[in-house]
Amino acid sequence: MPGAHILVVDDDPDMQDVMALALESGSYQVCRASNGQEALERVAERAPDLILLDMRMPVMDGWAFAAELRRRYGDRTPIVVCTAAEDVQRRAREVDAVGCLSKPFELDELLRLVESVLPRRWERAGQGQCP
C-alpha cells in the first residue's frame, strides 16, 4: 500500500531529485513543484498530506505560497520548511510550519522529520498519482 502524498516545493531540480528519491525509498508518493505558483496548482489537483517548502524561489516564494495556501485551504495541510535561508526556525514560524530543516541536511534527518510530523491518516494515499 502506498504511503502518504508529499509535495516537494523547491526551485533546485537537484534538491527535488534527492528529496524525491529519499522519500520514495520510504514508500511515500512524491509530487514536485519548482515555485509557489506551481505548488498551488499541484495542491488544487490533489491535496498533499505534507508539503516540504523551500522559502526562496522565483515566481512565488515560500512566504507568498504559504499565505495563499492558508487563504484558500485553511491550515489542514502541514508544512515543513526546508531552506538554506538564515534562521530556519524563524522562517518556519513565519509560515506556521510544523517543522523545519536547514540546508544542507542529511536524508535520514528528512525522513525522521517527515515521519514525526505526518498526519496518521493514509486512507486517501492510494487515490491517484501526482500529475
Side-chain angles (χ1 to χ4, degrees), residues 25 33 78 105 109 114:
S25 75
F105 51 80
E109 284 180 273
V114 165

Side-chain angles (χ1 to χ4, degrees), residues 17-32 111:
D17 288 345
V18 168
M19 292 172 72
L21 284 171
L23 293 165
E24 288 166 352
S25 75
S27 298
Y28 297 108
Q29 296 179 42
V30 178
C31 190
R32 305 175 191 203
L111 292 173

Side-chain angles (χ1 to χ4, degrees), residues 9-130:
V9 187
D10 198 302
D11 62 325
D12 180 345
D14 292 333
M15 180 58 73
Q16 280 187 21
D17 288 345
V18 168
M19 292 172 72
L21 284 171
L23 293 165
E24 288 166 352
S25 75
S27 298
Y28 297 108
Q29 296 179 42
V30 178
C31 190
R32 305 175 191 203
S34 297
N35 60 64
Q37 185 62 48
E38 194 176 306
L40 287 171
E41 293 168 11
R42 297 290 175 268
V43 171
E45 292 163 358
R46 179 176 176 211
D49 296 302
L50 177 67
I51 297 171
L52 301 178
L53 180 65
D54 187 17
M55 298 307 290
R56 295 182 179 164
M57 298 175 290
V59 182
M60 179 185 277
D61 65 25
W63 292 275
F65 165 77
E68 185 62 18
L69 177 78
R70 300 300 189 216
R71 187 187 72 74
R72 291 184 189 184
Y73 304 105
D75 62 356
R76 67 179 181 219
T77 304
I79 295 173
V80 169
V81 169
C82 301
T83 188
E86 289 184 25
D87 198 354
V88 69
Q89 291 179 343
R90 188 175 106 215
R91 304 291 178 237
R93 284 191 304 273
E94 290 170 350
V95 297
D96 294 323
V98 297
C100 58
L101 276 176
S102 182
K103 292 179 185 174
F105 51 80
E106 297 294 325
L107 294 179
D108 60 333
E109 284 180 273
L110 172 67
L111 292 173
R112 276 195 308 271
L113 181 57
V114 165
E115 290 170 12
S116 73
V117 301
L118 263 173
R120 302 290 180 219
R121 59 188 194 303
W122 306 147
E123 294 78 22
R124 67 182 187 169
Q127 298 176 0
Q129 295 295 319
C130 271

